[in-house]
Amino acid sequence: MTIDVADRIPAERLDNQHSDIFGQTPSQTVGPFFHYGLPWKGGADLVGRSDMGARAELFGEEHYVLNLSAPTGTPLGKVIEVAGRVIDGNGDPVPDAMIELWQANAAGRYRSADDRREAVPVDPHFVGFGRASTDNGGVWRFRTIRPGRVPGPDGAWQAPHLALSVFGRGLIKRLATRLYFADGEGNDTDPVLAAVPVARRGTLIAEARVGGWWLDIVLQGPGETVFFDL
Amino acid sequence: MSAVIPYAREDAGAPPSLVADYRSTVPRSPREPLVRIPATLTETTGPTGCWDRLMGPAMADLTTQHRAPPLGQRIIVTGRVLDERGLPVPDTVMEIWQANAAGRYVHVKDQWDAPLDPNFTGAGRVVTDGEGRYRFVTVRPGAYPWGNHRNAWRPAHIHLSLLGPAFATRLVTQLYFPDDPLIEIDPIANAVPMPYRQRLVSRFDMSVTEPNRALGYRFDVVLKGREQTPFEEDAHDH
Ligand SMILES: [Fe+3]
């Protein structure tokens, strides 16, 4: 039997489409050159219209194809600024990292199909997702709303927190962590903080400074930030 | 209130954080064990239906972003985003970025001696359809050298970024091309143990190829799935 020449196809290989190895796609690093692809202008400003978050100086203007965030109204709640450095195991700042933020609104509701608590209002002017590149000094910075409290397991309430992901050259997998506030209501009973050894809880708690909240993210070594096994 | 159903943990194909052959992991990977936390709404939710507002409209064709077509082999990259039970992940954002056909990024820190293409940026973004499908038109990226070790070359690859439905499903990865001899000696691809590394290798697929226009590659992205099926207790919400 012959196969018509136009119907020939290459032999099958053990690859992405092969059912024998179907499963979670493995993680790979973002590498050093993600700036024109991921952090859009305004990505780190969840309340205003500034271009915080992007580093447009790292590529030509003609290659800026990501949008500015569309204008929105003013979200409800207290506007805060949160910032910090990313520091490596040598104590050096990491200038080519990106932090991604996910958080609830001021009422403690996530803008997600999987947060079905209709009694807690969605804020039409607030999404709660953002991205910030680190600068040459390793500093990331967001302008956002202080989140409300969100329920945890078994009827417990979580303290106000931001969920953060850290990406960068040398990070094969994103690192997941949280930022809590030093004056946060319920820090002492938060079920996630309770899962962290006491001596390391401080690595998740931002301190109040002039101009906003500050939390260094230490990738390795003394004071290493707690990262989560999700 | 509905119970929170956690997402599965990473499977056997997951790479470690520390891979000594990939030198940048040495000072940047955590030394302390990751801390297991209870799944809460924070981890099981993610932004829904707001991509245009955050990032602007979709950009599925990377060959029409400038005045003229870019140089290089035009290709179509398509597939589905699934969870690990094989269910489609609809309406989720997928972002890509890549080098040009010569292996050069438009990034100012990429300074090796390969030409830039004024007609190619290399960034794209789409939202999956109701069956989890996506499709990009681009050019095949070139391999490029990097400073990891003497004569180090990255295999040709496209960077992929997916959020999926939840904070827990976040994934950044790289798509490789079939029969690229650099894959088996690349420290970054080699962070993934065999045979799972082959999950990162796309398939050349004649049915994706368009006559007289573009070669076609198929690549499915498989995200973490829920540990169990949600009960229908929330039926009154709909
Ligand atoms: Fe790359």
Side-chain angles (χ1 to χ4, degrees), chain A residues 21 28 36 63 100 229, chain B residues 9 42 98 121 170 176 199:
Chain A
I21 55 168
Q28 296 271 271
Y36 67 95
H63 294 298
E100 210 166 76
D229 181 11
Chain B
R9 299 168 79 175
T42 305
Q98 64 169 88
T121 292
R170 183 77 173 97
Y176 300 99
R199 290 178 181 169

Side-chain angles (χ1 to χ4, degrees), chain B residues 105 144 154 157 159:
Chain B
Y105 287 94
Y144 60 82
R154 293 298 328 280
H157 60 276
H159 294 267

Side-chain angles (χ1 to χ4, degrees), chain B residues 175-223:
Chain B
L175 171 161
Y176 300 99
F177 292 89
D179 302 321
D180 184 339
L182 292 169
I183 298 170
E184 68 182 74
I185 57 170
D186 175 53
I188 294 177
N190 275 258
V192 180
M194 284 296 270
Y196 310 106
R197 188 186 311 150
Q198 298 302 114
R199 290 178 181 169
L200 299 177
V201 179
S202 58
R203 177 173 293 187
F204 174 72
D205 187 336
M206 284 301 290
S207 73
V208 174
T209 293
E210 290 189 1
N212 302 317
R213 178 168 160 78
L215 296 180
Y217 293 87
R218 197 173 284 283
F219 190 84
D220 293 341
V221 181
V222 181
L223 303 176

Side-chain angles (χ1 to χ4, degrees), chain B residues 53-178:
Chain B
R53 168 172 156 187
L54 288 175
M55 305 174 188
M59 304 181 297
D61 190 341
L62 283 66
T63 68
T64 56
Q65 289 175 338
H66 298 281
R67 201 163 309 173
L71 293 172
Q73 176 76 61
R74 190 188 293 115
I75 63 171
I76 293 160
V77 177
T78 189
R80 288 180 303 164
V81 181
L82 306 167
D83 73 14
E84 64 196 287
R85 288 183 299 176
L87 299 173
V89 180
D91 193 29
T92 196
V93 70
M94 177 168 179
E95 297 158 277
I96 68 171
W97 72 101
Q98 64 169 88
N100 68 21
R104 179 91 184 260
Y105 287 94
V106 294
H107 201 285
V108 299
K109 300 240 162 121
D110 185 6
Q111 286 290 339
W112 83 289
D113 182 24
L116 286 167
D117 183 343
N119 292 309
F120 191 69
T121 292
R125 174 181 60 251
V126 298
V127 172
T128 58
D129 72 9
E131 276 77 53
R133 287 184 297 243
Y134 74 90
R135 184 177 185 276
F136 288 103
V137 180
T138 181
V139 296
R140 182 168 165 141
Y144 60 82
W146 60 311
N148 190 69
H149 55 277
R150 184 179 55 83
N151 205 15
W153 292 81
R154 293 298 328 280
H157 60 276
I158 298 176
H159 294 267
L160 311 178
S161 169
L162 294 104
L163 270 65
F167 182 76
T169 59
R170 183 77 173 97
L171 175 70
V172 171
T173 188
Q174 299 180 25
L175 171 161
Y176 300 99
F177 292 89

